[in-house]
Amino acid sequence: MNELIDAFRQAPEVSAADVHFADLMHRLDGRGEPLVWLAAAMASQATGEGHVCLDLEARAGEPFAVDGQPPLTLPALETFRERLESSPVVGRPGDFRPLILVDDGRLYLQRYWTYEQDLARALRDRAAAVPEGLDEARLKAGLARLFAHNDDQETDWQRVAAAVALLGRFAVISGGPGTGKTSTVVRLLALILEQSGGYPPRIALAAPTGKAAARMQESIRNALEGLPVDEDVREAMPDEARTLHRLLGVRPHSLQFRHHRDNPLPVDVLIVDEASMVDISMMARLVDALPPEARLILLGDRDQLASVEAGAVLSELGQGGERFSDPMTAALSAVTGMAVPAEPGEGIDDCVVQLQHSYRFGADSGIGRLARAINAGDGEAAWGALTGEADDVRWMDSHGSPCAAVAEAAVNGYRPCLEAMRDGAPAEAVLAAFEQYRVLTALRRGGAGVEALNGCIETALARAGLIRPRGRDYPGRPVMILHNDPVTRLYNGDVGLMLPDEEGVLWACFPSTEGVRRLHPAQLSAHESVFAMTVHKSQGSEFDAVLFVLPPENTPLLARELLYTGVTRARKEAVLLGERGALEAGCRRRVRREGGLARALRG
């Protein structure tokens, strides 16, 4: 057992924080039980990898090895159970102990168990609530008018989604790019306002990042054009989207928010976009801060990568989509005026809708075909889509060294933005041009990682005369914020450009819902250059063209969720660079996040 613990201490994937937590649990256990140390280290490591809990049943009895050493075998599940159940630091559901062990072998850190249980309880209660005073005749007429453009569809899932949101206090609307999530939301907001009887509800729009919030706000404003509603409804539409941190009220130098159960958000309707990016901690705090009578609507794509932090909330919530209880099916058919094909469901299933018709990627779209093949796990079909006749997808072979190919492509991709800066275009125009193209990758380090690719691209742009990188900050340098900073109101993942003003003074310029925000470079918290960015950081953004650099096929991160997310950041053109084996390996592999939210919601 000591050999196993020593191996865990040396393993590169086990962090110093994991070891510190395991040491603390071992001391508090007080019995010198090595399996307590091992289980605590494994549970802490699991949360660092995005899991809400450790699945002991899956890990027990499996081999564990550190590079260069012979593999060791983890103890059997029953051995883990016997040693953990007698420990004073391990409790059962309902206990207040540092570690919680569930009957099926899941082991939680206490705070993640609490997040999961509190969130499940709150969502079940909200799903069971029925809004008061709903005028079903007005709702039916509004659905027919606002979704008349979809009358040619056998089942208008946009209309169904809007009806689900109006018939209850909780809705999850999932769909891939171009399936009309924003269009649906604008119309369901109109329906909510039409039901208000002259007293508009307080509506809040939010997203995980500043970029996603700005895009949500712009999309909703654009979708308002030509909407068949009265002027008072149009004027009552919300026109500002905020980040979740700003909505909840970040307190500088504190982990707590201003809004919580005892100081709830002053809203009647909350709509959260890009919900796949929201981890279980943030979602639990958000729902805790929402008044019980408020309506909550989550938007996102359940097939995208899950949040960077622990949890896959949208994926676990979105396991339905075409399952409704008999009463809900009858209610939906009555208000939509159409048959709603659905399998039998219950409880939370009545709140989930999957949009299925893509308005952006038609049957002939290479991006659409490629995304569908990836989601189906069909590497051969994905290869066929990339190498076929579609002009919106293309394959580039890396020949083992991506740097030169990426640099050449990036010079062409970023040229319009940097030439606009050189010609004195307004900051808004330069920032908009920068958002037309991006290089994406899965990794931070290595030849196909962010660090190497940013260096290659910067060198190539300098040789082409498009930038002059003298010192760290220079005109045309794109930067990404790495940590939340409530003082500057810039948050992890926000992207801006270093641009000179008319007098040649350099400013860090960031797009915002109010226009362009300018800060002195010295005001910025930790940040890095971002000619290339990870696929994780690209979530919530879309670009006209994307160059996606695939990692080697043995990279654990390479999975269909990563491929799908990277490909669908592109609106008009997706170019993949790498080896065919990596593409096919990624299609075969799935990201598996351990957690019990789906069971807690539906069990």
Side-chain angles (χ1 to χ4, degrees), residues 188-487:
L188 73 82
L189 282 173
L191 293 168
I192 290 171
L193 291 168
E194 289 177 352
Q195 291 278 332
S196 65
Y199 297 93
R202 299 166 297 176
I203 300 172
L205 308 175
T209 67
K211 176 63 181 175
R215 205 173 115 235
M216 180 188 192
Q217 180 172 298
E218 180 184 6
S219 297
I220 286 179
R221 286 176 177 172
N222 292 339
L224 273 172
E225 296 180 13
L227 198 68
V229 294
D230 293 340
E231 195 57 34
D232 60 335
V233 170
R234 190 180 301 278
E235 290 178 357
M237 281 283 186
D239 61 359
E240 180 188 11
R242 290 174 282 178
T243 64
L244 293 175
H245 286 85
R246 188 177 167 200
L247 175 76
L248 290 173
V250 174
R251 289 176 170 173
H253 314 298
S254 172
L255 297 176
Q256 304 302 315
F257 294 109
R258 291 189 180 91
H259 290 290
H260 42 75
R261 185 176 307 174
D262 298 324
N263 181 31
L265 289 162
V267 301
D268 302 305
V269 179
L270 173 60
I271 299 178
V272 179
D273 198 10
E274 297 292 348
S276 65
M277 299 170 64
V278 184
D279 60 81
I280 195 164
S281 169
M282 176 59 82
M283 190 66 79
R285 294 175 185 220
L286 181 69
V287 173
D288 182 66
L290 198 62
E293 66 278 5
R295 184 179 268 116
L296 173 63
I297 301 166
L298 303 179
L299 310 175
D301 185 347
R302 67 185 182 187
D303 294 318
Q304 278 191 33
L305 283 167
S307 58
V308 175
E309 304 298 329
V313 175
L314 187 69
S315 177
E316 293 200 77
L317 284 172
Q319 291 181 6
E322 297 176 40
R323 297 199 301 262
F324 299 112
S325 65
D326 289 341
M328 186 58 155
T329 301
L332 289 172
S333 296
V335 296
T336 62
M338 63 176 66
V340 178
E343 297 178 8
E346 60 182 358
I348 205 76
D349 293 331
D350 283 347
C351 305
V352 182
V353 181
Q354 175 73 17
L355 303 181
Q356 300 172 26
H357 180 78
S358 177
Y359 297 86
R360 183 188 306 168
F361 303 130
D364 297 330
S365 161
I367 295 176
R369 291 210 320 273
L370 176 58
R372 289 190 292 272
I374 290 169
N375 269 341
D378 191 338
E380 186 174 344
W383 178 254
L386 278 165
T387 55
E389 297 181 357
D391 58 6
D392 58 343
V393 292
R394 186 159 49 91
W395 175 261
M396 292 175 63
D397 198 302
S398 67
H399 300 293
S401 178
C403 191
V406 170
E408 181 181 355
V411 168
N412 294 325
Y414 289 124
R415 184 181 296 276
C417 164
L418 297 172
E419 288 184 344
M421 177 192 71
R422 182 195 61 194
D423 296 341
E428 293 89 342
V430 181
L431 286 167
F434 181 66
E435 290 303 308
Q436 303 309 302
Y437 179 82
R438 196 71 89 247
V439 175
L440 303 180
T441 183
L443 306 173
R444 290 200 54 79
R445 295 179 178 84
V450 163
E451 295 175 0
L453 295 179
N454 271 311
C456 293
I457 294 168
E458 187 178 66
T459 299
L461 292 172
R463 285 175 179 164
L466 293 170
I467 59 172
R468 295 179 180 178
R470 298 171 181 172
R472 186 184 186 193
D473 297 324
Y474 55 85
R477 181 193 176 209
V479 293
M480 175 183 285
I481 301 300
L482 301 178
H483 302 293
N484 296 332
D485 185 0
V487 175

Side-chain angles (χ1 to χ4, degrees), residues 34-242:
L35 274 191
V36 169
W37 188 98
L38 185 61
M42 291 168 66
S44 179
Q45 179 203 0
T47 62
E49 292 179 346
H51 304 288
V52 177
C53 61
L54 168 68
D55 186 350
L56 273 175
E57 185 174 13
R59 295 288 303 276
E62 291 294 305
F64 178 83
V66 178
D67 290 344
Q69 298 182 14
L72 301 168
T73 302
L74 292 169
L77 178 61
E78 289 309 312
T79 305
F80 267 116
R81 280 186 186 280
E82 178 185 342
R83 306 288 177 84
L84 294 178
E85 287 175 349
S86 60
S87 171
V89 300
V90 181
R92 306 290 290 169
D95 294 339
F96 188 74
R97 303 281 180 85
L99 294 165
I100 300 296
L101 180 62
V102 185
D103 286 340
D104 62 8
R106 285 174 290 139
L107 183 67
Y108 288 81
L109 305 188
Q110 169 65 237
R111 65 190 176 105
Y112 286 104
W113 169 257
T114 302
Y115 287 147
E116 188 173 271
Q117 295 303 303
D118 287 352
L119 179 59
R121 188 180 306 110
L123 293 182
R124 284 198 309 267
D125 291 346
R126 198 172 295 276
V130 178
E132 297 178 1
L134 184 68
D135 186 335
E136 291 194 13
R138 176 173 290 185
L139 173 58
K140 184 174 182 178
L143 286 167
R145 170 172 36 88
L146 289 164
F147 292 93
H149 61 291
N150 289 340
D151 281 345
D152 59 336
Q153 296 181 23
E154 184 175 350
T155 301
D156 179 5
W157 288 102
Q158 289 186 335
R159 191 177 313 197
V160 172
V164 166
L166 269 289
L167 291 171
R169 287 188 178 156
F170 177 53
V172 178
I173 302 174
S174 175
T179 53
K181 294 188 291 292
T182 301
S183 172
T184 303
V185 164
V186 169
R187 286 164 170 76
L188 73 82
L189 282 173
L191 293 168
I192 290 171
L193 291 168
E194 289 177 352
Q195 291 278 332
S196 65
Y199 297 93
R202 299 166 297 176
I203 300 172
L205 308 175
T209 67
K211 176 63 181 175
R215 205 173 115 235
M216 180 188 192
Q217 180 172 298
E218 180 184 6
S219 297
I220 286 179
R221 286 176 177 172
N222 292 339
L224 273 172
E225 296 180 13
L227 198 68
V229 294
D230 293 340
E231 195 57 34
D232 60 335
V233 170
R234 190 180 301 278
E235 290 178 357
M237 281 283 186
D239 61 359
E240 180 188 11
R242 290 174 282 178

